[in-house]
Amino acid sequence: MLLIDGADAPYWNGLADGALMLPRCEACGTWLWPASDRCGSCGSIQVAWIERAMTGTIFSWTRTWHRFGFTEALDLPFVSIVATVDDCDIRLLGRLDDPDQLDPQIGEAISGRIGSTRVENRDIPTIIWSRNA
Amino acid sequence: MTPLYGSTAVAGIGVRQYKRGTSPLPERGVLTQAVIDACADAGFDPADVDGFVSYGDDHNEPVRLMSDLGTRELKWSSMVWGGGGGGIAGAFGLAAAAIISGQASAVIVFRALVEGSSGRLSAAVMAHHLNDHMLAAGIVAPAQVCAIRANRMYEHHGVSRAVAEELVRASYYHGSRNPDAVAYGRELDLDAMRNSRWIAEPFRLFDCSRENDGAGAFLMVSAERARDLKKPPVYLLGCANGAEKGWGDLLENDDEALYPTAGFRPIARRLYADTGLSPADIDVVQLYENFSAQGVASLIDHGFCTYENVAEVIRFDNLIAPTGKLPANTGGGNFAQGFIHGIGTAIEAVKQLRGESANPVPDAKIGLLAGGPGAPTVSSAIFGNIVP
Ligand SMILES: [Zn+2]
């Protein structure tokens, strides 16, 4: 899948430019994720991409110990999370820094920075989250 | 009552199962044997099969089976959408739809999986779902997808992790007593299970199903025709397939209340409403458990227990035949009987209602087949050896 392809292209281009951009229906204000071309709530096709801060909370998590294919560039174990982004209803998949292997807590406040994940020959922009100090 | 209720039946079953990587035949050859077995089981000429249904992106397009089977005419060839095992029970509903509507009269429901032909199932399932959001997060396997949901169920909804162990133990108990199971003759070593290596927290190795090579096939015909065949009919009483708003392929943005479920709330609702049956009417459950926590979530979704009383219901003693009140995975389930994309759970559902199970449930009349949990599209079916 090409990064610049599909309804979520502005998300990937935003990360490449250093910003978290997320889609919201211009007509009724519903956040649309996965990104879509039509708001299922009101039928509008006017989608606005809005910048959000890279702050949020942990919705859920897993720590992976098994070497699955496509994760070769990640040191084991690594923590993947679902993060609820502040000030919008969207949850994002991402990774969490895990220096001390402390189990993440659901609801814990986190902040993100933009990094990347090497998969085969590509570097995919990735939000790397850390627990707030 | 739904038109599905008791109008079609499974008349024959066939299954060939091998350790992963050891199938003596390529995938299509194994599948052909399973279909022939199912027809022989029913005393039915395989050339008269005129329809085929599969699920989970099976690679064996039915038209390619015609030469080996001697098929006279192919009238129905279809597949339930979805890359995981969510469509397994829905496949029976699709076969019944073909028969009831007169578009076919003898339909084989099948699934075949041989690693040398189709590669690893886990990789195939993920190829169906993978996108850059998942790859960037290092989420590349069904175990991880289900692990994230499981942690939410355990931590946020207060389900005790110990419950999953009860389910795993019940599967292995039954498997150890089933000569057709990979775990036959081996008691589960509890220490080994509890200390098995982490895969993706909260799952250790023993929380995960492991793949086998093989194929399973079911011959479905009208209830009337089934009564004239060799084996006692196992009637399809109801089937539901799908997803409700707030559940699906949503990049983890499912409705918050649905998120830790296995996706079966609307399925169970429809299944019970369509059949007039309730969880209390179910004598035995065959539960597709890809991962332990999803098996627990499936039992909750199907109304056998709640977040609050789950620990009282999902107990080893309660789950085992012949004495438990909720006998589950009496063949050993995906964990211990074997895993050909769940087809063994459906085989056991039929065997149990024919009295052919290695772990018979006394006087079992109604069985639930709970399909692959946690998939974007899921399905379940109720079978009976009577039409109540
Ligand atoms: Zn809208």
Side-chain angles (χ1 to χ4, degrees), chain A residues 3 8 12 33 59-66 68-69 80 91 95 106 117 122 126, chain B residues 132-133 136-137 139-141 144 147-148 151-152 155 197-201 252-254 259:
Chain A
L3 289 181
D8 56 4
W12 296 111
W33 199 253
F59 185 76
S60 198
W61 64 282
T62 183
R63 184 181 286 115
T64 298
W65 295 80
H66 180 78
F68 293 106
S80 306
R91 291 178 216 134
R95 288 192 281 116
I106 287 171
T117 304
R122 295 190 299 138
T126 307
Chain B
D132 283 351
H133 298 280
I139 297 293
V140 298
Q144 298 167 295
I148 293 186
N151 265 335
R152 181 92 187 165
E155 292 179 20
R197 65 190 174 89
W198 286 115
I199 301 297
E201 295 177 43
E252 308 302 312
N253 281 258
D254 309 70
Y259 187 83

mmCIF file of all heavy atoms in Angstrom, chain A residues 3 8 12 33 59-66 68-69 80 91 95 106 117 122 126, chain B residues 132-133 136-137 139-141 144 147-148 151-152 155 197-201 252-254 259:
data_model
loop_
_atom_site.group_PDB
_atom_site.id
_atom_site.type_symbol
_atom_site.label_atom_id
_atom_site.label_comp_id
_atom_site.label_asym_id
_atom_site.label_seq_id
_atom_site.Cartn_x
_atom_site.Cartn_y
_atom_site.Cartn_z
ATOM 1 N N LEU A 3 1.865 5.017 0.748
ATOM 2 C CA LEU A 3 1.525 5.932 1.824
ATOM 3 C C LEU A 3 0.628 7.068 1.339
ATOM 4 O O LEU A 3 -0.199 7.571 2.072
ATOM 5 C CB LEU A 3 2.801 6.529 2.430
ATOM 6 C CG LEU A 3 3.653 5.565 3.257
ATOM 7 C CD1 LEU A 3 4.853 6.302 3.807
ATOM 8 C CD2 LEU A 3 2.831 4.969 4.383
ATOM 9 N N ASP A 8 -6.749 8.153 3.820
ATOM 10 C CA ASP A 8 -5.945 8.638 4.954
ATOM 11 C C ASP A 8 -4.616 9.273 4.510
ATOM 12 O O ASP A 8 -3.745 9.533 5.346
ATOM 13 C CB ASP A 8 -5.707 7.523 5.978
ATOM 14 C CG ASP A 8 -5.042 6.295 5.360
ATOM 15 O OD1 ASP A 8 -4.691 6.324 4.159
ATOM 16 O OD2 ASP A 8 -4.879 5.298 6.095
ATOM 17 N N TRP A 12 -0.846 10.552 6.663
ATOM 18 C CA TRP A 12 0.549 10.162 6.443
ATOM 19 C C TRP A 12 1.392 11.362 6.005
ATOM 20 O O TRP A 12 2.512 11.542 6.478
ATOM 21 C CB TRP A 12 0.638 9.044 5.400
ATOM 22 C CG TRP A 12 -0.034 7.783 5.852
ATOM 23 C CD1 TRP A 12 -1.174 7.223 5.363
ATOM 24 C CD2 TRP A 12 0.386 6.931 6.928
ATOM 25 N NE1 TRP A 12 -1.491 6.078 6.051
ATOM 26 C CE2 TRP A 12 -0.540 5.869 7.013
ATOM 27 C CE3 TRP A 12 1.472 6.957 7.829
ATOM 28 C CZ2 TRP A 12 -0.434 4.849 7.958
ATOM 29 C CZ3 TRP A 12 1.574 5.932 8.771
ATOM 30 C CH2 TRP A 12 0.632 4.902 8.828
ATOM 31 N N TRP A 33 -12.785 8.064 11.578
ATOM 32 C CA TRP A 33 -11.606 7.190 11.600
ATOM 33 C C TRP A 33 -12.017 5.757 11.727
ATOM 34 O O TRP A 33 -12.775 5.461 12.658
ATOM 35 C CB TRP A 33 -10.686 7.597 12.775
ATOM 36 C CG TRP A 33 -9.277 7.100 12.615
ATOM 37 C CD1 TRP A 33 -8.682 6.082 13.311
ATOM 38 C CD2 TRP A 33 -8.270 7.629 11.735
ATOM 39 N NE1 TRP A 33 -7.386 5.935 12.912
ATOM 40 C CE2 TRP A 33 -7.103 6.869 11.944
ATOM 41 C CE3 TRP A 33 -8.257 8.652 10.780
ATOM 42 C CZ2 TRP A 33 -5.922 7.104 11.232
ATOM 43 C CZ3 TRP A 33 -7.086 8.891 10.097
ATOM 44 C CH2 TRP A 33 -5.929 8.120 10.321
ATOM 45 N N PHE A 59 -5.573 3.498 25.696
ATOM 46 C CA PHE A 59 -6.867 2.802 25.652
ATOM 47 C C PHE A 59 -6.667 1.307 25.897
ATOM 48 O O PHE A 59 -7.415 0.675 26.627
ATOM 49 C CB PHE A 59 -7.541 3.026 24.306
ATOM 50 C CG PHE A 59 -8.923 2.460 24.213
ATOM 51 C CD1 PHE A 59 -9.990 3.103 24.822
ATOM 52 C CD2 PHE A 59 -9.166 1.290 23.511
ATOM 53 C CE1 PHE A 59 -11.280 2.572 24.744
ATOM 54 C CE2 PHE A 59 -10.445 0.758 23.428
ATOM 55 C CZ PHE A 59 -11.503 1.398 24.042
ATOM 56 N N SER A 60 -5.641 0.740 25.272
ATOM 57 C CA SER A 60 -5.228 -0.635 25.590
ATOM 58 C C SER A 60 -3.838 -0.871 25.008
ATOM 59 O O SER A 60 -3.287 0.002 24.334
ATOM 60 C CB SER A 60 -6.215 -1.682 25.096
ATOM 61 O OG SER A 60 -5.997 -2.916 25.781
ATOM 62 N N TRP A 61 -3.288 -2.046 25.281
ATOM 63 C CA TRP A 61 -1.881 -2.270 24.952
ATOM 64 C C TRP A 61 -1.566 -3.756 24.860
ATOM 65 O O TRP A 61 -2.310 -4.598 25.358
ATOM 66 C CB TRP A 61 -0.981 -1.652 26.038
ATOM 67 C CG TRP A 61 -1.188 -2.330 27.386
ATOM 68 C CD1 TRP A 61 -2.228 -2.119 28.258
ATOM 69 C CD2 TRP A 61 -0.374 -3.363 27.977
ATOM 70 N NE1 TRP A 61 -2.100 -2.946 29.359
ATOM 71 C CE2 TRP A 61 -0.970 -3.717 29.212
ATOM 72 C CE3 TRP A 61 0.807 -4.002 27.579
ATOM 73 C CZ2 TRP A 61 -0.425 -4.689 30.056
ATOM 74 C CZ3 TRP A 61 1.347 -4.978 28.424
ATOM 75 C CH2 TRP A 61 0.730 -5.296 29.650
ATOM 76 N N THR A 62 -0.452 -4.073 24.227
ATOM 77 C CA THR A 62 0.142 -5.410 24.327
ATOM 78 C C THR A 62 1.657 -5.284 24.239
ATOM 79 O O THR A 62 2.166 -4.360 23.589
ATOM 80 C CB THR A 62 -0.374 -6.381 23.245
ATOM 81 O OG1 THR A 62 0.202 -7.680 23.461
ATOM 82 C CG2 THR A 62 0.011 -5.927 21.839
ATOM 83 N N ARG A 63 2.346 -6.177 24.911
ATOM 84 C CA ARG A 63 3.811 -6.225 24.813
ATOM 85 C C ARG A 63 4.178 -7.500 24.048
ATOM 86 O O ARG A 63 3.855 -8.605 24.485
ATOM 87 C CB ARG A 63 4.459 -6.212 26.200
ATOM 88 C CG ARG A 63 6.001 -6.173 26.148
ATOM 89 C CD ARG A 63 6.632 -6.180 27.545
ATOM 90 N NE ARG A 63 6.500 -4.912 28.244
ATOM 91 C CZ ARG A 63 5.786 -4.729 29.364
ATOM 92 N NH1 ARG A 63 5.119 -5.730 29.897
ATOM 93 N NH2 ARG A 63 5.733 -3.545 29.940
ATOM 94 N N THR A 64 4.822 -7.343 22.920
ATOM 95 C CA THR A 64 5.118 -8.471 22.032
ATOM 96 C C THR A 64 6.510 -9.024 22.318
ATOM 97 O O THR A 64 7.495 -8.275 22.333
ATOM 98 C CB THR A 64 5.012 -8.024 20.561
ATOM 99 O OG1 THR A 64 3.671 -7.607 20.290
ATOM 100 C CG2 THR A 64 5.394 -9.153 19.615
ATOM 101 N N TRP A 65 6.561 -10.354 22.501
ATOM 102 C CA TRP A 65 7.831 -11.052 22.784
ATOM 103 C C TRP A 65 8.246 -11.976 21.660
ATOM 104 O O TRP A 65 9.403 -12.366 21.574
ATOM 105 C CB TRP A 65 7.699 -11.880 24.068
ATOM 106 C CG TRP A 65 7.478 -11.083 25.291
ATOM 107 C CD1 TRP A 65 6.293 -10.541 25.731
ATOM 108 C CD2 TRP A 65 8.470 -10.700 26.262
ATOM 109 N NE1 TRP A 65 6.498 -9.860 26.898
ATOM 110 C CE2 TRP A 65 7.815 -9.944 27.262
ATOM 111 C CE3 TRP A 65 9.839 -10.935 26.388
ATOM 112 C CZ2 TRP A 65 8.484 -9.412 28.359
ATOM 113 C CZ3 TRP A 65 10.507 -10.420 27.492
ATOM 114 C CH2 TRP A 65 9.827 -9.660 28.460
ATOM 115 N N HIS A 66 7.278 -12.366 20.837
ATOM 116 C CA HIS A 66 7.553 -13.322 19.761
ATOM 117 C C HIS A 66 7.984 -12.557 18.512
ATOM 118 O O HIS A 66 7.443 -11.494 18.217
ATOM 119 C CB HIS A 66 6.289 -14.139 19.478
ATOM 120 C CG HIS A 66 6.456 -15.158 18.396
ATOM 121 N ND1 HIS A 66 7.091 -16.362 18.615
ATOM 122 C CD2 HIS A 66 6.075 -15.146 17.091
ATOM 123 C CE1 HIS A 66 7.096 -17.051 17.479
ATOM 124 N NE2 HIS A 66 6.493 -16.340 16.547
ATOM 125 N N PHE A 68 7.527 -11.916 15.210
ATOM 126 C CA PHE A 68 6.639 -12.067 14.051
ATOM 127 C C PHE A 68 7.283 -11.434 12.824
ATOM 128 O O PHE A 68 8.026 -10.461 12.935
ATOM 129 C CB PHE A 68 5.294 -11.373 14.310
ATOM 130 C CG PHE A 68 4.454 -12.007 15.389
ATOM 131 C CD1 PHE A 68 4.329 -11.413 16.631
ATOM 132 C CD2 PHE A 68 3.781 -13.199 15.159
ATOM 133 C CE1 PHE A 68 3.553 -11.986 17.629
ATOM 134 C CE2 PHE A 68 3.000 -13.782 16.145
ATOM 135 C CZ PHE A 68 2.885 -13.177 17.381
ATOM 136 N N GLY A 69 6.965 -12.002 11.662
ATOM 137 C CA GLY A 69 7.423 -11.418 10.412
ATOM 138 C C GLY A 69 6.944 -9.980 10.278
ATOM 139 O O GLY A 69 5.857 -9.640 10.755
ATOM 140 N N SER A 80 2.981 -2.169 21.890
ATOM 141 C CA SER A 80 2.070 -1.507 20.957
ATOM 142 C C SER A 80 0.862 -1.045 21.754
ATOM 143 O O SER A 80 0.436 -1.727 22.689
ATOM 144 C CB SER A 80 1.604 -2.474 19.872
ATOM 145 O OG SER A 80 2.707 -3.071 19.218
ATOM 146 N N ARG A 91 -9.066 7.007 18.054
ATOM 147 C CA ARG A 91 -8.005 6.176 18.641
ATOM 148 C C ARG A 91 -7.010 5.803 17.547
ATOM 149 O O ARG A 91 -7.416 5.446 16.442
ATOM 150 C CB ARG A 91 -8.589 4.884 19.219
ATOM 151 C CG ARG A 91 -9.442 5.103 20.425
ATOM 152 C CD ARG A 91 -10.019 3.764 20.904
ATOM 153 N NE ARG A 91 -11.353 3.998 21.411
ATOM 154 C CZ ARG A 91 -12.412 3.255 21.131
ATOM 155 N NH1 ARG A 91 -12.289 2.190 20.357
ATOM 156 N NH2 ARG A 91 -13.586 3.562 21.634
ATOM 157 N N ARG A 95 3.176 2.970 18.996
ATOM 158 C CA ARG A 95 4.079 2.252 19.896
ATOM 159 C C ARG A 95 4.374 3.110 21.111
ATOM 160 O O ARG A 95 4.304 4.330 21.052
ATOM 161 C CB ARG A 95 5.359 1.866 19.166
ATOM 162 C CG ARG A 95 5.122 0.741 18.174
ATOM 163 C CD ARG A 95 6.408 0.140 17.631
ATOM 164 N NE ARG A 95 7.009 0.927 16.591
ATOM 165 C CZ ARG A 95 8.200 1.525 16.682
ATOM 166 N NH1 ARG A 95 8.912 1.429 17.800
ATOM 167 N NH2 ARG A 95 8.681 2.225 15.669
ATOM 168 N N ILE A 106 -4.323 1.449 31.590
ATOM 169 C CA ILE A 106 -5.388 2.028 30.771
ATOM 170 C C ILE A 106 -5.770 3.381 31.363
ATOM 171 O O ILE A 106 -5.934 3.510 32.578
ATOM 172 C CB ILE A 106 -6.582 1.055 30.706
ATOM 173 C CG1 ILE A 106 -6.210 -0.135 29.807
ATOM 174 C CG2 ILE A 106 -7.839 1.753 30.206
ATOM 175 C CD1 ILE A 106 -7.191 -1.275 29.806
ATOM 176 N N THR A 117 8.993 3.503 11.556
ATOM 177 C CA THR A 117 9.114 2.054 11.733
ATOM 178 C C THR A 117 9.571 1.472 10.407
ATOM 179 O O THR A 117 8.934 1.684 9.373
ATOM 180 C CB THR A 117 7.760 1.445 12.134
ATOM 181 O OG1 THR A 117 7.300 2.107 13.309
ATOM 182 C CG2 THR A 117 7.897 -0.046 12.400
ATOM 183 N N ARG A 122 10.783 -0.063 3.687
ATOM 184 C CA ARG A 122 10.128 1.236 3.855
ATOM 185 C C ARG A 122 10.263 1.729 5.288
ATOM 186 O O ARG A 122 10.318 0.942 6.226
ATOM 187 C CB ARG A 122 8.639 1.127 3.521
ATOM 188 C CG ARG A 122 8.364 0.789 2.064
ATOM 189 C CD ARG A 122 6.880 0.935 1.768
ATOM 190 N NE ARG A 122 6.083 0.030 2.598
ATOM 191 C CZ ARG A 122 4.944 0.360 3.200
ATOM 192 N NH1 ARG A 122 4.461 1.584 3.091
ATOM 193 N NH2 ARG A 122 4.289 -0.517 3.924
ATOM 194 N N THR A 126 5.602 6.994 12.253
ATOM 195 C CA THR A 126 4.957 6.346 13.397
ATOM 196 C C THR A 126 4.958 7.298 14.580
ATOM 197 O O THR A 126 5.964 7.960 14.834
ATOM 198 C CB THR A 126 5.751 5.090 13.820
ATOM 199 O OG1 THR A 126 5.943 4.250 12.679
ATOM 200 C CG2 THR A 126 5.031 4.317 14.909
ATOM 201 N N ASP B 132 -0.741 0.068 6.842
ATOM 202 C CA ASP B 132 0.419 0.761 7.404
ATOM 203 C C ASP B 132 0.209 1.199 8.850
ATOM 204 O O ASP B 132 1.169 1.333 9.601
ATOM 205 C CB ASP B 132 0.778 1.966 6.521
ATOM 206 C CG ASP B 132 1.514 1.532 5.262
ATOM 207 O OD1 ASP B 132 1.889 0.346 5.175
ATOM 208 O OD2 ASP B 132 1.716 2.378 4.370
ATOM 209 N N HIS B 133 -1.028 1.439 9.259
ATOM 210 C CA HIS B 133 -1.273 1.800 10.666
ATOM 211 C C HIS B 133 -0.852 0.651 11.578
ATOM 212 O O HIS B 133 -0.262 0.852 12.648
ATOM 213 C CB HIS B 133 -2.754 2.119 10.871
ATOM 214 C CG HIS B 133 -3.233 3.281 10.057
ATOM 215 N ND1 HIS B 133 -3.023 4.584 10.430
ATOM 216 C CD2 HIS B 133 -3.874 3.325 8.864
ATOM 217 C CE1 HIS B 133 -3.546 5.400 9.512
ATOM 218 N NE2 HIS B 133 -4.057 4.655 8.547
ATOM 219 N N ALA B 136 3.106 -0.001 11.350
ATOM 220 C CA ALA B 136 3.872 1.004 12.084
ATOM 221 C C ALA B 136 3.858 0.730 13.581
ATOM 222 O O ALA B 136 4.820 1.027 14.297
ATOM 223 C CB ALA B 136 3.313 2.392 11.798
ATOM 224 N N ALA B 137 2.763 0.136 14.061
ATOM 225 C CA ALA B 137 2.654 -0.155 15.494
ATOM 226 C C ALA B 137 3.257 -1.523 15.828
ATOM 227 O O ALA B 137 3.261 -1.934 16.991
ATOM 228 C CB ALA B 137 1.181 -0.114 15.914
ATOM 229 N N ILE B 139 2.001 -4.267 14.869
ATOM 230 C CA ILE B 139 0.862 -5.186 14.994
ATOM 231 C C ILE B 139 0.693 -5.904 13.671
ATOM 232 O O ILE B 139 0.188 -5.336 12.695
ATOM 233 C CB ILE B 139 -0.427 -4.406 15.352
ATOM 234 C CG1 ILE B 139 -0.275 -3.723 16.707
ATOM 235 C CG2 ILE B 139 -1.641 -5.326 15.354
ATOM 236 C CD1 ILE B 139 -0.171 -4.674 17.873
ATOM 237 N N VAL B 140 1.152 -7.147 13.641
ATOM 238 C CA VAL B 140 1.231 -7.872 12.376
ATOM 239 C C VAL B 140 0.640 -9.280 12.452
ATOM 240 O O VAL B 140 0.669 -10.006 11.467
ATOM 241 C CB VAL B 140 2.697 -7.981 11.904
ATOM 242 C CG1 VAL B 140 3.279 -6.599 11.648
ATOM 243 C CG2 VAL B 140 3.540 -8.725 12.939
ATOM 244 N N ALA B 141 0.122 -9.675 13.609
ATOM 245 C CA ALA B 141 -0.348 -11.050 13.780
ATOM 246 C C ALA B 141 -1.679 -11.057 14.526
ATOM 247 O O ALA B 141 -1.930 -10.189 15.364
ATOM 248 C CB ALA B 141 0.679 -11.872 14.556
ATOM 249 N N GLN B 144 -1.559 -10.588 18.322
ATOM 250 C CA GLN B 144 -1.401 -9.240 18.874
ATOM 251 C C GLN B 144 -2.710 -8.461 18.833
ATOM 252 O O GLN B 144 -3.046 -7.740 19.775
ATOM 253 C CB GLN B 144 -0.338 -8.481 18.077
ATOM 254 C CG GLN B 144 1.046 -9.098 18.141
ATOM 255 C CD GLN B 144 1.932 -8.465 17.092
ATOM 256 O OE1 GLN B 144 1.693 -8.611 15.895
ATOM 257 N NE2 GLN B 144 2.946 -7.729 17.524
ATOM 258 N N ALA B 147 -4.694 -9.770 21.560
ATOM 259 C CA ALA B 147 -4.085 -9.465 22.868
ATOM 260 C C ALA B 147 -4.489 -8.071 23.344
ATOM 261 O O ALA B 147 -4.766 -7.860 24.526
ATOM 262 C CB ALA B 147 -2.565 -9.576 22.769
ATOM 263 N N ILE B 148 -4.514 -7.120 22.432
ATOM 264 C CA ILE B 148 -4.874 -5.747 22.832
ATOM 265 C C ILE B 148 -6.318 -5.706 23.342
ATOM 266 O O ILE B 148 -6.621 -5.057 24.341
ATOM 267 C CB ILE B 148 -4.675 -4.776 21.643
ATOM 268 C CG1 ILE B 148 -3.179 -4.658 21.311
ATOM 269 C CG2 ILE B 148 -5.239 -3.409 21.970
ATOM 270 C CD1 ILE B 148 -2.866 -3.626 20.247
ATOM 271 N N ASN B 151 -6.463 -7.403 26.866
ATOM 272 C CA ASN B 151 -6.029 -6.579 27.998
ATOM 273 C C ASN B 151 -7.114 -5.607 28.425
ATOM 274 O O ASN B 151 -7.291 -5.332 29.608
ATOM 275 C CB ASN B 151 -4.744 -5.816 27.646
ATOM 276 C CG ASN B 151 -3.506 -6.557 28.126
ATOM 277 O OD1 ASN B 151 -3.576 -7.349 29.073
ATOM 278 N ND2 ASN B 151 -2.383 -6.320 27.478
ATOM 279 N N ARG B 152 -7.840 -5.090 27.475
ATOM 280 C CA ARG B 152 -8.941 -4.176 27.797
ATOM 281 C C ARG B 152 -10.036 -4.922 28.566
ATOM 282 O O ARG B 152 -10.592 -4.411 29.532
ATOM 283 C CB ARG B 152 -9.482 -3.596 26.493
ATOM 284 C CG ARG B 152 -10.609 -2.624 26.649
ATOM 285 C CD ARG B 152 -10.155 -1.187 26.760
ATOM 286 N NE ARG B 152 -11.300 -0.340 27.068
ATOM 287 C CZ ARG B 152 -11.214 0.895 27.509
ATOM 288 N NH1 ARG B 152 -10.034 1.459 27.680
ATOM 289 N NH2 ARG B 152 -12.290 1.595 27.787
ATOM 290 N N GLU B 155 -8.432 -5.732 32.144
ATOM 291 C CA GLU B 155 -8.114 -4.614 33.027
ATOM 292 C C GLU B 155 -9.268 -3.638 33.206
ATOM 293 O O GLU B 155 -9.514 -3.145 34.306
ATOM 294 C CB GLU B 155 -6.884 -3.866 32.497
ATOM 295 C CG GLU B 155 -5.638 -4.722 32.602
ATOM 296 C CD GLU B 155 -4.403 -4.015 32.049
ATOM 297 O OE1 GLU B 155 -4.425 -2.777 31.940
ATOM 298 O OE2 GLU B 155 -3.445 -4.725 31.719
ATOM 299 N N ARG B 197 6.224 -19.597 27.136
ATOM 300 C CA ARG B 197 6.798 -18.296 26.777
ATOM 301 C C ARG B 197 5.711 -17.301 26.373
ATOM 302 O O ARG B 197 4.669 -17.675 25.853
ATOM 303 C CB ARG B 197 7.826 -18.474 25.669
ATOM 304 C CG ARG B 197 7.269 -18.960 24.357
ATOM 305 C CD ARG B 197 8.382 -19.341 23.371
ATOM 306 N NE ARG B 197 7.853 -19.936 22.177
ATOM 307 C CZ ARG B 197 7.490 -19.247 21.087
ATOM 308 N NH1 ARG B 197 7.616 -17.933 21.074
ATOM 309 N NH2 ARG B 197 7.006 -19.860 20.032
ATOM 310 N N TRP B 198 6.019 -16.031 26.626
ATOM 311 C CA TRP B 198 5.105 -14.973 26.193
ATOM 312 C C TRP B 198 5.103 -14.902 24.666
ATOM 313 O O TRP B 198 6.155 -15.005 24.031
ATOM 314 C CB TRP B 198 5.567 -13.605 26.710
ATOM 315 C CG TRP B 198 5.351 -13.338 28.160
ATOM 316 C CD1 TRP B 198 6.305 -13.146 29.115
ATOM 317 C CD2 TRP B 198 4.092 -13.157 28.829
ATOM 318 N NE1 TRP B 198 5.727 -12.878 30.326
ATOM 319 C CE2 TRP B 198 4.376 -12.881 30.181
ATOM 320 C CE3 TRP B 198 2.749 -13.213 28.417
ATOM 321 C CZ2 TRP B 198 3.370 -12.652 31.127
ATOM 322 C CZ3 TRP B 198 1.750 -12.990 29.357
ATOM 323 C CH2 TRP B 198 2.060 -12.721 30.694
ATOM 324 N N ILE B 199 3.926 -14.697 24.111
ATOM 325 C CA ILE B 199 3.805 -14.392 22.679
ATOM 326 C C ILE B 199 3.542 -12.891 22.551
ATOM 327 O O ILE B 199 4.358 -12.138 22.036
ATOM 328 C CB ILE B 199 2.669 -15.217 22.035
ATOM 329 C CG1 ILE B 199 2.942 -16.717 22.218
ATOM 330 C CG2 ILE B 199 2.508 -14.836 20.568
ATOM 331 C CD1 ILE B 199 4.198 -17.233 21.527
ATOM 332 N N ALA B 200 2.388 -12.477 23.010
ATOM 333 C CA ALA B 200 2.049 -11.050 23.104
ATOM 334 C C ALA B 200 1.171 -10.933 24.343
ATOM 335 O O ALA B 200 0.120 -11.568 24.411
ATOM 336 C CB ALA B 200 1.306 -10.570 21.863
ATOM 337 N N GLU B 201 1.634 -10.183 25.325
ATOM 338 C CA GLU B 201 0.903 -10.110 26.597
ATOM 339 C C GLU B 201 -0.533 -9.623 26.349
ATOM 340 O O GLU B 201 -0.718 -8.686 25.576
ATOM 341 C CB GLU B 201 1.625 -9.165 27.555
ATOM 342 C CG GLU B 201 2.997 -9.669 27.967
ATOM 343 C CD GLU B 201 3.725 -8.672 28.874
ATOM 344 O OE1 GLU B 201 3.079 -8.109 29.786
ATOM 345 O OE2 GLU B 201 4.917 -8.445 28.649
ATOM 346 N N GLU B 252 -9.343 -0.214 15.386
ATOM 347 C CA GLU B 252 -9.477 -0.142 16.852
ATOM 348 C C GLU B 252 -10.412 0.967 17.313
ATOM 349 O O GLU B 252 -10.408 1.342 18.489
ATOM 350 C CB GLU B 252 -8.113 0.005 17.540
ATOM 351 C CG GLU B 252 -7.083 -1.049 17.124
ATOM 352 C CD GLU B 252 -7.532 -2.474 17.375
ATOM 353 O OE1 GLU B 252 -8.017 -2.756 18.475
ATOM 354 O OE2 GLU B 252 -7.406 -3.307 16.452
ATOM 355 N N ASN B 253 -11.228 1.501 16.398
ATOM 356 C CA ASN B 253 -12.167 2.550 16.783
ATOM 357 C C ASN B 253 -13.589 2.017 16.954
ATOM 358 O O ASN B 253 -14.569 2.724 16.759
ATOM 359 C CB ASN B 253 -12.129 3.703 15.771
ATOM 360 C CG ASN B 253 -10.914 4.589 16.023
ATOM 361 O OD1 ASN B 253 -11.024 5.660 16.606
ATOM 362 N ND2 ASN B 253 -9.742 4.120 15.615
ATOM 363 N N ASP B 254 -13.699 0.787 17.388
ATOM 364 C CA ASP B 254 -14.999 0.215 17.681
ATOM 365 C C ASP B 254 -15.639 0.974 18.839
ATOM 366 O O ASP B 254 -14.950 1.590 19.652
ATOM 367 C CB ASP B 254 -14.861 -1.265 18.082
ATOM 368 C CG ASP B 254 -14.029 -2.048 17.085
ATOM 369 O OD1 ASP B 254 -12.803 -1.825 17.022
ATOM 370 O OD2 ASP B 254 -14.603 -2.873 16.374
ATOM 371 N N TYR B 259 -15.812 -2.927 22.159
ATOM 372 C CA TYR B 259 -14.385 -3.174 21.906
ATOM 373 C C TYR B 259 -13.852 -4.488 22.500
ATOM 374 O O TYR B 259 -13.194 -5.261 21.794
ATOM 375 C CB TYR B 259 -13.560 -1.984 22.400
ATOM 376 C CG TYR B 259 -12.094 -2.077 22.038
ATOM 377 C CD1 TYR B 259 -11.646 -1.669 20.784
ATOM 378 C CD2 TYR B 259 -11.167 -2.600 22.940
ATOM 379 C CE1 TYR B 259 -10.313 -1.772 20.450
ATOM 380 C CE2 TYR B 259 -9.836 -2.701 22.604
ATOM 381 C CZ TYR B 259 -9.407 -2.290 21.360
ATOM 382 O OH TYR B 259 -8.094 -2.405 21.024
#
